[in-house]
Amino acid sequence: MSIIMMMEIFSLDFIHPSAFYLIGGLLIPVLKGRVRQGYMLLMALLAFFAVLSMPHGTYGIYEFLSWELTFCSVDKLSKVFAYIFTIMGVIGVIYSMHVKNDGEQLAAFYYVGGSLGVTLAGDFLSFFLFWELMAFSSVFLVWYRKSNSSVSTGFRYLLWHVAGGLILFAGIILQYSISGDLTVQFLPFHGWWPTDLQSLASFLILIGLIVNAAVPPFGAWLPDAYPAATVTGAVFMSAFTTKTAVYALIRICAGSEILIVLGVVMAIYGVVYAVLENDARRLLAYHIISQVGYMVAGVGLGTQMAINGVVAHAFCHILYKSLLFMGTGSVLYVTGTAKLTELGGLYKTMPRTMIYTIIGGLSISAFPLFSGFVSKSITVAAFGEAHLTWAFLALMLASAGTFLHTGLKVPYFIWFGKDQGIKAKEPPWNMELAMIIGSLFCIGLGVFYKPLYALLPYPVHFEPYTAYHTWETLQVLLFTQLGFFLLLKKLWCKNTISLDTDWFPRKCAKAVIWFANKPLVSLEYNIIGEAYEFIIQKPIMRVAVYLKKIDTVVVDGTINGVGRLAMAWSRKIKEAQSGQIQHYAMLMVAGVIAVIIIVLVLP
Amino acid sequence: MKLLEIIEVLRTKKVKRIAYGVLILLIIVDFIIPRHEIHFFGDEIRGFWSLFGFIACVLIIVVSKWIGSRGIMQDEHYYDDGDI
């Protein structure tokens, strides 16, 4: 194994899988063409094998100032997430191989590396560092779309995540001040409102985490940003941010009852918005919210069976959701649009892409023999066994909605519906290869589910393919299909957007800016400005004229030499100060990386 | 193009009739299938999940459209004027 050889060469006990993405990724801008493609694939594969060779336990501990940073805390839970993240890394790299923009490739690499770092982090400080790295690298996947709205969409995305990150950080600091311990640990939040300091710490951490899990009302960033990302960027984004948050929720907040309610609301909320949506990728984004709702609810229930279901579902979800984003992304790549009103009749030109997308759609709908069936049913059955009938029925309802949109509406309006006569063809070979791999995983997991069950954190006593359960699912799904075709007329989309909870910050921000531009500026300019000129500026000017005389005669000679030097320097610095926050963000990310590298390399 | 022919066949009226047959079969078989994981009363009613699936679908579409028409759905350029 190449991993073991590398470890021997560098005399290391282990290699952190993130290293292949964070340090290995640095070579991407230097390489070109086929060499770069091969190199990226190699790095992604090596990261997977690095996870494979990681023993359970806590290691990779480094002193940083007066803290201990633990980079590798490996158990069954972190390992299964690290597996799926690295598998997704390989699929994503294959899908995005043709992309020439090295910045975009690098951003995706740092995003994956960050999410692996979060998954394996054993202390809250390194956890938080990687958590922020994810936000600051993934925002470039939005910016690199380079459309008119990319910059503002990216900033909104970043603002949500920075706000969530700060709340998380406040919780971590509070937790540290209470316990003096920074270990990532089980800190469930019980009740509806914090009652003492300890529960306030848990509450703040929970809020910080659910912002990234896109739980309403903090989830509006997801359907805002994902459809605005690049074709390949959205594939990465659909997989990592929310599922890393689900992992963190399991680790830290399992059994927090509030999550049951939030999760069920989420599952239905995503479905409702999907009915209204016209952009296929935004529709899928709303279904991420719906699916993550199952996971959040399962985390809230917190029984062993529910947690097993959540982990299995996160695993399958990453594969089928990325497949769906790859399918619709291919349509966007080839035709230039993902709007259902502008698409239709593509089955003649892109039949293979259609089949992959439908496989993804059947998987997300939990059709028997597809991956969602073996994972979603564990969580739903856990609710049935806990006799939470309202949650059980609500989740079944959301299942019908999932099939209605992702399994029926998206394929129907893109590949059938009204033939728009769009000239299209199948996407490039690498995109198709990634979709084939994704499809094989979706069917493979649906049929051979035992290996997945073996990876779950607790022993599994669940059999998905019982006669009644299979029949129950088939009835719900096929009668949903009947309803779909009967109500097809109602489902034709209109060219609209749907207002979400981000209406409030967006409108408030506009009000603040109006206030700053209009009343505040005129106050400053007309009243304070005039007063300033009269009381301060004029007397100062008089003194200044006098001082200038002394200055020109005495001081200038000495200063001129120094001044020229300063000028040269400031010209250099000016180049770095582009005034574009993207560049500053890049510098900040570079700084974070530098810290990580320094800590990792210096003993 | 073999694949295309298969898709064309699947779009014929005959397949549609078969699909209706499958739906009826689903309900009939539900009367004889053994029930061993009963979570609540609905699990004991024959054909319950067929009805559930259909009503769920109709409810989701009708209720969502109603919510959408209450001001949630806006023109694409809603946020565009002087966007930040």
Side-chain angles (χ1 to χ4, degrees):
Chain A
M1 290 279 283
S2 48
I3 290 279
I4 294 168
M5 269 170 56
M6 275 176 81
M7 278 157 53
E8 276 166 8
I9 292 167
F10 294 108
S11 66
L12 293 166
D13 304 328
F14 70 99
I15 300 180
H16 195 294
S18 286
F20 295 104
Y21 284 104
L22 300 184
I23 301 170
L26 293 174
L27 273 182
I28 291 176
V30 186
L31 302 171
K32 288 271 170 292
R34 294 242 175 258
V35 182
R36 182 163 90 187
Q37 297 180 343
Y39 175 78
M40 280 169 34
L41 187 58
L42 179 71
M43 286 298 119
L45 285 170
L46 284 177
F48 174 73
F49 287 117
V51 174
L52 206 62
S53 65
M54 283 183 110
H56 284 195
T58 307
Y59 43 94
I61 301 169
Y62 299 92
E63 294 281 333
F64 176 67
L65 302 176
S66 57
W67 289 291
E68 268 189 355
L69 300 185
T70 310
F71 285 99
C72 295
S73 170
V74 185
D75 58 8
K76 276 197 107 171
L77 178 63
S78 50
K79 209 163 179 183
V80 64
F81 273 91
Y83 275 132
I84 187 58
F85 287 152
T86 44
I87 291 173
M88 186 55 222
V90 174
I91 295 177
V93 163
I94 295 176
Y95 188 75
S96 60
M97 250 176 193
H98 63 280
V99 173
K100 296 226 163 44
N101 182 347
D102 46 15
E104 195 181 329
Q105 305 276 28
L106 201 56
F109 258 56
Y110 273 81
Y111 183 38
V112 180
S115 115
L116 281 168
V118 170
T119 311
L120 297 170
D123 70 292
F124 270 125
L125 225 52
S126 57
F127 178 95
F128 182 71
L129 212 63
F130 285 117
W131 188 266
E132 290 297 295
L133 175 63
M134 284 176 72
F136 277 94
S137 51
S138 56
V139 69
F140 284 92
L141 298 175
V142 177
W143 279 333
Y144 277 127
R145 177 83 178 274
K146 294 176 181 166
S147 71
N148 291 335
S149 57
S150 295
V151 174
S152 50
T153 311
F155 278 124
R156 286 196 298 273
Y157 173 81
L158 205 52
L159 279 174
W160 278 103
H161 285 289
V162 168
L166 285 176
I167 295 170
L168 174 67
F169 197 57
I172 291 172
I173 297 293
L174 192 57
Q175 173 61 26
Y176 181 65
S177 73
I178 295 167
S179 65
D181 184 11
L182 274 176
T183 320
V184 175
Q185 55 192 302
F186 186 50
L187 296 164
F189 170 73
H190 298 294
W192 297 94
W193 204 247
T195 46
D196 53 14
L197 267 186
Q198 178 59 59
S199 73
L200 179 64
S202 304
F203 182 72
L204 289 173
I205 291 174
L206 181 102
I207 298 285
L209 297 181
I210 66 174
V211 169
N212 268 29
V215 176
F218 312 118
W221 57 267
L222 195 156
D224 185 26
Y226 285 13
T230 62
V231 167
T232 56
V235 173
F236 281 102
M237 293 173 93
S238 76
F240 291 100
T241 302
T242 47
K243 262 62 72 184
T244 310
V246 166
Y247 161 78
L249 282 171
I250 299 176
R251 171 123 323 207
I252 300 166
C253 307
S256 309
E257 298 83 2
I258 192 172
L259 291 178
I260 298 180
V261 182
L262 288 173
V264 172
V265 168
M266 244 177 120
I268 304 243
Y269 159 93
V271 165
V272 168
Y273 269 84
V275 179
L276 312 174
E277 196 47 61
N278 180 35
D279 184 305
R281 295 205 305 168
R282 182 164 289 135
L283 188 157
L284 292 177
Y286 274 116
H287 268 289
I288 295 182
I289 295 186
S290 177
Q291 294 298 304
V292 173
Y294 285 84
M295 300 175 211
V296 170
V299 174
L301 189 58
T303 60
Q304 290 198 351
M305 185 178 180
I307 296 295
N308 273 342
V310 172
V311 176
H313 202 42
F315 196 99
C316 295
H317 176 87
I318 287 176
L319 292 165
Y320 62 63
K321 194 48 119 189
S322 61
L323 179 57
L324 285 162
F325 265 94
M326 287 193 276
T328 48
S330 299
V331 172
L332 173 65
Y333 181 82
V334 173
T335 67
T337 181
K339 283 185 189 162
L340 299 179
T341 42
E342 293 167 15
L343 291 165
L346 286 183
Y347 78 97
K348 287 174 199 149
T349 45
M350 301 179 78
R352 295 202 298 278
T353 305
M354 176 185 96
I355 289 178
Y356 310 134
T357 311
I358 289 181
I359 290 174
L362 292 176
S363 302
I364 192 177
S365 318
F367 226 85
L369 299 182
F370 292 89
S371 62
F373 183 76
V374 301
S375 61
K376 191 194 277 181
S377 44
I378 310 180
T379 313
V380 177
F383 275 96
E385 284 194 1
H387 295 288
L388 284 169
T389 308
W390 66 272
F392 173 74
L393 285 177
L395 292 180
M396 288 300 275
L397 181 87
S399 295
T402 307
F403 184 49
L404 174 64
H405 301 113
T406 326
L408 295 167
K409 181 176 164 182
V410 167
Y412 183 83
F413 286 107
I414 292 180
W415 280 281
F416 301 104
K418 186 168 161 241
D419 195 336
Q420 307 272 16
I422 300 167
K423 284 201 179 70
K425 56 181 188 330
E426 299 285 2
W429 68 270
N430 63 303
M431 292 168 89
E432 198 170 343
L433 177 64
M435 289 192 276
I436 293 172
I437 296 173
S439 305
L440 289 178
F441 265 113
C442 283
I443 298 172
L445 283 169
V447 181
F448 308 105
Y449 53 90
K450 290 279 190 235
L452 170 63
Y453 284 8
L455 288 176
L456 301 181
Y458 300 107
V460 181
H461 315 284
F462 181 79
E463 167 56 49
Y465 289 105
T466 61
Y468 180 60
H469 179 225
T470 313
W471 213 251
E472 155 195 278
T473 312
L474 279 177
Q475 287 184 64
V476 172
L477 295 181
L478 292 178
F479 274 88
T480 301
Q481 184 164 12
L482 176 70
F484 170 78
F485 282 110
L486 289 179
L487 290 177
L488 195 53
K489 277 206 187 100
K490 267 191 163 295
L491 280 168
W492 284 93
C493 294
K494 291 192 199 99
N495 212 354
T496 57
I497 56 163
S498 304
L499 304 186
D500 205 326
T501 48
D502 63 346
W503 183 86
F504 297 98
R506 285 174 87 163
K507 283 290 169 187
C508 283
K510 268 185 190 163
V512 169
I513 285 184
W514 176 85
F515 181 72
N517 276 344
K518 296 286 159 62
L520 217 56
V521 167
S522 63
L523 179 78
E524 204 276 334
Y525 189 80
N526 295 332
I527 300 170
I528 302 177
E530 292 280 320
Y532 178 79
E533 194 172 323
F534 189 72
I535 300 166
I536 299 173
Q537 228 166 359
K538 281 188 181 158
I540 284 184
M541 279 299 278
R542 247 171 255 148
V543 181
V545 169
Y546 181 69
L547 283 177
K548 194 178 167 244
K549 274 181 196 156
I550 303 174
D551 182 65
T552 13
V553 181
V554 188
V555 189
D556 264 16
T558 344
I559 297 298
N560 272 353
V562 185
R564 252 175 239 126
L565 196 67
M567 283 276 278
W569 266 103
S570 57
R571 228 173 271 132
K572 289 264 180 240
I573 293 171
K574 203 174 104 192
E575 281 161 21
Q577 303 293 316
S578 59
Q580 292 198 325
I581 303 213
Q582 291 95 312
H583 295 169
Y584 296 141
M586 190 107 87
L587 279 175
M588 280 160 80
V589 172
V592 172
I593 310 306
V595 170
I596 294 173
I597 292 174
I598 288 167
V599 170
L600 280 175
V601 175
L602 299 179
Chain B
M1 279 292 278
K2 270 254 173 77
L3 191 58
L4 211 58
E5 284 163 25
I6 298 172
I7 296 172
E8 293 285 4
V9 169
L10 285 174
R11 301 190 75 200
T12 51
K13 277 257 154 67
K14 205 188 217 168
V15 176
K16 206 173 169 185
R17 247 175 263 139
I18 296 172
Y20 280 120
V22 169
L23 290 179
I24 295 166
L25 198 72
L26 269 176
I27 301 180
I28 294 171
V29 174
D30 197 43
F31 276 85
I32 50 169
I33 229 156
R35 286 160 155 69
H36 42 77
E37 34 185 330
I38 290 169
H39 297 315
F40 79 118
F41 67 91
D43 282 325
E44 292 180 83
I45 303 168
R46 310 287 147 174
F48 174 83
W49 291 112
S50 298
L51 194 67
F52 182 90
F54 185 73
I55 293 179
C57 175
V58 174
L59 263 184
I60 288 168
I61 295 174
V62 173
V63 173
S64 306
K65 285 275 171 189
W66 181 80
I67 295 174
S69 67
R70 304 284 105 175
I72 295 285
M73 283 169 93
Q74 291 288 347
D75 185 77
E76 267 193 308
H77 307 289
Y78 177 79
Y79 284 118
D80 284 1
D81 52 316
D83 205 350
I84 318 145

